[in-house]
Amino acid sequence: MQEQELIIPNHVAIILDGNGRWAKKKNMPRNYGHTQGSKAVERICEDAYKIGVKYLTVYAFSTENWKRPKEEVDAIMKLLRNYLQTSMKTAKKNNMRVRILGDKSGLSEDITKKINELEEATKNNTGLNLQVAINYGSRDEIVRAIKALSLDIKKNTIEINNIDETVMENYMDTKGIPDPDLLIRTSGEKRLSNFLLWQMAYTEFYFTDVLWPDFDKKELMKAIEYYNGRTRKFGAIY
Ligand code: IPE
Ligand code: IPE
Ligand code: MG
């Protein structure tokens, strides 16, 4: 199928999985897999935007990932710091808007500071909208949303009878961001692992055995071809 004939999903969400297995296959430490995985994120941002994707959301660190060995968590946090640092430059160059999904209060102060600076510095950019989910869990997001909503009810800024799906969406981390059209999960796992449960009610799911550091533009196009097959079959393109 020719690229130009394809309908490009507006919002692609990715559960980037398989960094550890990729490294193991190469007899390298898991953290090497994470380093290469973060490079793959940078590449896919450019590729996705070039083909016309407007929103890209990547799951980088879940609320459950804190249970991993401290050494691995520390290495991922270090990578994150570097990523936030370089994003300041690349976002400017690529006109990219970066937002972080997840509970920022659970991250170290220096990381939260970097996140706030990056979100502020890129908020008027009109290129790719990149969402990075860090310390993110869907159930945690819903609980935080309900807490914030309850406070507003207590303050009388909203009435219980006026709560609907749109109101609820305004309390989620994804406020203002359209729902994903296509979800990709790499490494052969076929579960959501607590990712965007509310937002993916109608998302098409694509699973591939490719391990995340090997995921490239060719693999992205395969996912988009699959998406086109699904949407054609059921006529579900809105
Ligand atoms: C995904 O790769 C990255 C994160 C969850 C941070 P994994 O680290 O889960 O890699 P596998 O699943 O062990 O191969
Ligand atoms: C999901 O991958 C979370 C991220 C990609 C950040 P995991 O590898 O942590 O998921 P499980 O534990 O296998 O479900
Ligand atoms: Mg994994």
Side-chain angles (χ1 to χ4, degrees):
M1 208 180 282
Q2 290 300 303
E3 212 173 282
Q4 56 267 35
E5 289 173 19
L6 291 170
I7 292 164
I8 304 298
N10 185 47
H11 184 171
V12 176
I14 308 179
I15 301 176
L16 32 104
D17 201 5
N19 289 351
R21 278 162 284 169
W22 183 88
K24 195 169 178 223
K25 263 175 62 185
K26 294 190 151 37
N27 288 316
M28 296 294 279
R30 289 181 61 83
N31 293 338
Y32 178 65
H34 295 315
T35 310
Q36 296 307 310
S38 89
K39 290 184 182 162
V41 171
E42 287 180 32
R43 287 195 302 269
I44 218 68
C45 283
E46 286 204 21
D47 294 335
Y49 189 58
K50 270 189 206 142
I51 62 167
V53 172
K54 301 282 189 298
Y55 293 83
L56 181 71
T57 301
V58 295
Y59 202 6
F61 193 85
S62 73
T63 45
E64 288 70 33
N65 286 150
W66 296 107
K67 294 186 200 123
R68 292 190 181 199
K70 185 178 182 298
E71 192 221 22
E72 183 173 348
V73 171
D74 287 349
I76 294 174
M77 289 301 146
K78 195 174 163 203
L79 263 178
L80 213 75
R81 286 186 176 89
N82 290 342
Y83 184 79
L84 293 167
Q85 198 82 40
T86 51
S87 284
M88 266 295 197
K89 291 184 210 121
T90 47
K92 202 171 181 183
K93 198 177 94 206
N94 303 339
N95 194 21
M96 181 169 79
R97 177 173 187 183
V98 189
R99 276 173 278 193
I100 305 301
L101 311 180
D103 184 3
K104 292 172 191 163
S105 71
L107 297 166
S108 333
E109 234 173 86
D110 71 301
I111 294 185
T112 318
K113 190 166 169 269
K114 277 198 176 84
I115 288 173
N116 291 339
E117 284 167 4
L118 183 62
E119 288 186 329
E120 183 61 28
T122 63
K123 70 175 184 205
N124 294 322
N125 288 357
T126 53
L128 179 73
N129 287 279
L130 173 69
Q131 291 70 237
V132 187
I134 305 169
N135 191 25
Y136 177 87
S138 208
R139 289 178 175 178
D140 177 68
E141 178 191 30
I142 292 168
V143 169
R144 284 185 289 108
I146 290 171
K147 279 186 182 164
L149 180 56
S150 307
L151 269 180
D152 283 347
I153 295 168
K154 220 169 151 183
K155 284 192 286 187
N156 288 323
T157 39
I158 184 146
E159 275 181 43
I160 290 177
N161 282 338
N162 292 338
I163 298 170
D164 58 13
E165 291 179 14
T166 312
V167 168
M168 192 63 197
E169 268 157 18
N170 286 335
Y171 287 88
M172 307 293 267
D173 296 344
T174 48
K175 179 182 176 184
I177 297 164
D179 289 342
D181 302 289
L182 171 67
L183 169 77
I184 299 170
R185 182 166 189 159
T186 55
S187 87
E189 308 303 337
K190 297 188 174 87
R191 55 181 176 274
L192 279 179
S193 301
N194 206 5
F195 191 40
L196 302 175
L197 303 182
W198 168 280
Q199 296 85 347
M200 296 209 289
Y202 280 96
T203 303
E204 295 287 346
F205 289 3
Y206 174 81
F207 300 103
T208 172
D209 287 339
V210 171
L211 303 173
W212 176 251
D214 288 332
F215 193 88
D216 57 10
K217 188 178 174 198
K218 202 174 93 229
E219 298 300 330
L220 177 65
M221 291 320 296
K222 280 191 207 165
I224 291 178
E225 275 174 27
Y226 168 85
Y227 171 78
N228 274 252
R230 301 300 298 169
T231 45
R232 281 215 183 110
K233 196 161 162 191
F234 300 109
I237 288 172
Y238 325 103

